[in-house]
Structures are given as structure tokens and as C-alpha cells.
Amino acid sequence: MTIEIRLQLWTPHGPAGHRLERSVPLPIKDFNFPDTQEGRTKAEQAKAHLQDYVTKHVIPKAKR
């Protein structure tokens, strides 16, 4: 058995996940990353992609 420290992407409403998905598929499929330099880099990239998605597809629909 191994114990790991992992990073997870979160929104103000809880963990990021497929409930954010609208008619356009999410740009990323994995929301958990190992706590390594490579994992942190991937998490930052995923965060940027997810923020672009939310800004473009989720926020406009929430303002209706």
C-alpha cells in the first residue's frame, strides 16, 4: 500500500468535475494530479484550460 499526496482542481462550489460540462465536452478528463513537479505543471495547465472553458461556456449560461 502506498500513500500519496495529490492535487485536485476545485471550483468555488466544490471539486471540479463533469458536472461543469455543458453542451461542449470538457477540455480535460483528469482532475487529480500527483504532487510532483510534473504533476503540478500538468495541474496548472489543466486549470488554465478549465478556466477558459468555464469563462466561455458556463458563466454566460449562469447569467441568464
Side-chain angles (χ1 to χ4, degrees), residues 21 24-30 46 48-54 57:
E21 195 165 67
V24 178
L26 285 168
I28 60 172
K29 301 298 178 202
D30 192 6
H49 288 304
L50 191 58
Q51 184 61 59
D52 289 345
Y53 176 89
V54 168
H57 300 290

Side-chain angles (χ1 to χ4, degrees), residues 8-17 19-20 50:
Q8 184 177 35
L9 298 180
W10 279 66
T11 71
H13 303 288
R19 61 193 171 95
L20 290 173
L50 191 58

Side-chain angles (χ1 to χ4, degrees), residues 3-5 8 10 22 29 37-38 41 48 50:
I3 297 174
E4 296 180 353
I5 297 174
Q8 184 177 35
W10 279 66
R22 298 294 191 246
K29 301 298 178 202
Q37 187 58 42
E38 181 183 357
T41 300
L50 191 58

